[in-house]
Amino acid sequence: MTTQKQFKPVDEQLAYLRKGAAEIIREEDLRAKLDSSFKTGKPLRVKLGVDPTAPDLHLGHTVVLRKLKHFQDLGHTAIFLVGDFTAMVGDPTGQSETRPPLTREQVDANAKTYLEQVYKILQKEITEVRYNSEWLGELTGHDMIRLCAHYRLARMLEREDFRSRLAGNLPISIHELLYPLLQAYDSVALEADVELGATEQKFNLLVGREIQREYGQASQVALTMPILVGLDGQRKMSKSLGNYIGITEPPSTMFGKLMSVSDDMMWPYFDLVTDHTPQEIAALAAEVKSGAMHPMDVKMSLAREIISGFHGAEAGEKAAAEFQRVFRDRESPKQIEEIRFKRTDGGIIASILRKGVPVDVFVGGSKKWSQVLTYLGEIESISEADRIIKHGGLEINGQVVTDPTTKLDPGNTATYDLRIGKKKFLRVIVE
């Protein structure tokens, strides 16, 4: 096989790899490495290290994973590094305080789940999966001292996380100072040509460049990717903030969340979590701006494409059809959550799930719908429920209810199909 058949021309590879990238340090180094690879037929070794600190991935995690896939698409070696050793140290990036290290059991469990999800993006057969305990766990005390001797404390304390904590008289543990050095040593052990990370990982990636030189290796290229903004349109996507889209969530849930992304924010999603070229994205944006395409139609195609990538094309089409039926044609979904009430002498009792645990809720006799929905936990407060009803946000069996004093009569067997706001459906059955 000739080199020309093995790798695309360098300019073509660079154009593909630049897409969505925040920074390439240094791009001339990447060009030189790609040129050497093109001439020799030897693929670049491209590293992405991930500490398995949580078991579930969301779309934000996939941004840098997709860039690793891009290198893999071009014929280079994708190295997915599980930081099983460093996870027990704890990455100080973005931390305002020392966080407790994970146990070996937590790390192993998270890593297993992580890999199952990673293969939704990377090709399992050709991905090199490594664990940094392979070499970090073998370092002797002498090896560790030698590693520490290659970096200055003053440089380490220039890092924003550490500088702000020092200024605020907040503690920094010694093991946290070791983290960037351990991550850098991973690049030495793997002989990485390129390391990928989010923009917040830039410091660690640059330490890797320096430590590789100290160990007699050519410095890796550091390629950073932007942080994906979450559903609130302001903060980075995070499960703890509740503004995330999990890649293993049901297709209908993912579709609904993606459709809640603002019209302006959908363009970064196109850029960072699809393979559309910048030219294609610009053309779509121009059509929306001119009025030739409706932004909702473009957003639906985005949601369908993303879901198809994780759940298959059929699931993407079904989720799109369900959204069209429910939210654009205003029909009820095919599957609606049901709550059954059982009548007693004193009124009605509903059995519902709270945090996964069945709980019997006594509603009592005739009650306003605002009270019923609040007792069931569908709306936070009776006053909020009254407000929603006054503004036409409650439909019962297809009829809009605007009188907040409207009551549920528990005396009769009946089924009520409710639409609460635009996106919540509920079937209440009185037996």
Side-chain angles (χ1 to χ4, degrees), residues 51 85-86 88-92 132 136 139-141 143-153 156-157 159 162 172-186 203-204 207-208 211:
D51 288 349
F85 188 95
T86 42
M88 293 187 291
V89 175
D91 185 357
N132 62 11
L136 295 181
L139 290 179
T140 66
D143 295 331
M144 189 65 75
I145 291 170
R146 181 186 175 209
L147 174 60
C148 293
H150 287 307
Y151 208 78
R152 296 179 183 275
L153 178 61
M156 190 69 73
L157 294 179
R159 180 181 174 137
F162 296 146
I172 300 173
S173 296
I174 294 295
H175 76 276
E176 294 182 277
L177 302 177
L178 293 178
Y179 187 93
L181 295 176
L182 295 174
Q183 181 173 327
Y185 192 79
D186 291 342
F203 182 92
N204 291 347
V207 175
I211 293 300

Side-chain angles (χ1 to χ4, degrees), residues 15-249:
Y16 187 50
L17 296 172
R18 281 194 200 106
K19 178 183 180 291
E23 196 171 5
I24 301 174
I25 308 169
R26 300 180 312 160
E27 187 169 318
E28 56 266 38
D29 292 346
L30 179 57
R31 176 180 286 278
K33 288 176 182 286
L34 289 171
D35 187 58
S36 174
S37 172
F38 182 87
K39 290 174 180 175
T40 63
K42 183 180 179 182
L44 299 182
R45 294 180 59 75
V46 185
K47 163 200 172 191
L48 170 61
V50 178
D51 288 349
T53 53
D56 297 317
L57 296 182
H58 54 63
L59 276 187
H61 295 124
T62 70
V63 172
V64 70
L65 269 170
R66 288 178 55 79
K67 187 54 61 180
L68 184 60
K69 176 184 178 292
H70 292 166
F71 277 96
Q72 192 174 63
D73 291 343
L74 293 171
H76 300 291
T77 302
I79 307 170
F80 185 77
L81 174 65
V82 179
D84 59 333
F85 188 95
T86 42
M88 293 187 291
V89 175
D91 185 357
T93 301
Q95 301 298 312
S96 59
E97 58 185 21
T98 303
R99 64 183 180 188
L102 297 182
T103 66
R104 166 54 65 182
E105 291 73 22
Q106 288 173 312
V107 169
D108 289 345
N110 290 350
K112 183 177 183 296
T113 310
Y114 221 102
L115 283 172
E116 291 169 357
Q117 297 170 63
V118 161
Y119 291 136
K120 290 179 177 288
I121 298 172
L122 301 176
Q123 296 181 57
K124 182 177 181 179
E125 299 76 17
I126 59 174
T127 300
E128 183 178 325
V129 177
R130 303 291 292 273
Y131 295 80
N132 62 11
S133 60
E134 292 177 37
W135 47 87
L136 295 181
E138 299 300 317
L139 290 179
T140 66
H142 179 272
D143 295 331
M144 189 65 75
I145 291 170
R146 181 186 175 209
L147 174 60
C148 293
H150 287 307
Y151 208 78
R152 296 179 183 275
L153 178 61
R155 291 285 305 280
M156 190 69 73
L157 294 179
E158 290 173 2
R159 180 181 174 137
E160 174 60 30
D161 312 275
F162 296 146
R163 192 167 67 245
S164 61
R165 281 157 71 178
L166 281 174
N169 291 319
L170 296 173
I172 300 173
S173 296
I174 294 295
H175 76 276
E176 294 182 277
L177 302 177
L178 293 178
Y179 187 93
L181 295 176
L182 295 174
Q183 181 173 327
Y185 192 79
D186 291 342
S187 295
V188 174
L190 292 169
E191 298 182 345
D193 293 300
V194 181
E195 183 172 12
L196 309 177
T199 50
E200 61 187 7
Q201 285 287 324
K202 179 179 176 179
F203 182 92
N204 291 347
L205 271 56
L206 293 180
V207 175
R209 282 172 58 85
E210 189 165 334
I211 293 300
Q212 279 183 305
R213 287 196 299 270
E214 293 291 333
Y215 279 82
Q217 294 183 7
S219 292
Q220 65 187 13
V221 170
L223 191 157
T224 61
M225 296 297 293
I227 300 294
L228 186 68
V229 174
L231 299 177
D232 57 4
Q234 298 176 341
R235 298 169 295 181
K236 78 172 186 177
M237 187 173 287
S238 166
K239 196 164 186 179
S240 63
L241 296 174
N243 63 352
Y244 70 100
I245 302 169
I247 70 171
T248 58
E249 289 189 285

Side-chain angles (χ1 to χ4, degrees), residues 407-421:
K407 293 182 177 181
L408 165 65
D409 182 0
N412 299 314
T413 299
T415 297
Y416 304 92
D417 283 340
L418 310 181
R419 179 199 290 265
I420 307 162

Side-chain angles (χ1 to χ4, degrees), residues 251-312:
S252 58
T253 301
M254 291 182 69
F255 204 99
K257 286 185 175 184
L258 283 161
M259 292 305 295
S260 74
V261 172
S262 71
D263 293 350
D264 289 338
M265 280 305 303
M266 73 174 166
W267 304 116
Y269 278 63
F270 263 111
D271 193 30
L272 297 175
V273 293
T274 80
D275 283 333
H276 287 281
T277 66
Q279 294 77 16
E280 290 170 341
I281 297 169
L284 277 174
E287 289 196 67
V288 169
K289 187 174 182 181
S290 69
M293 291 188 73
H294 195 285
M296 181 173 281
D297 293 324
V298 177
K299 203 182 300 180
M300 284 186 70
S301 72
L302 169 68
R304 183 166 50 242
E305 182 175 343
I306 290 173
I307 289 162
S308 297
F310 295 111
H311 295 282

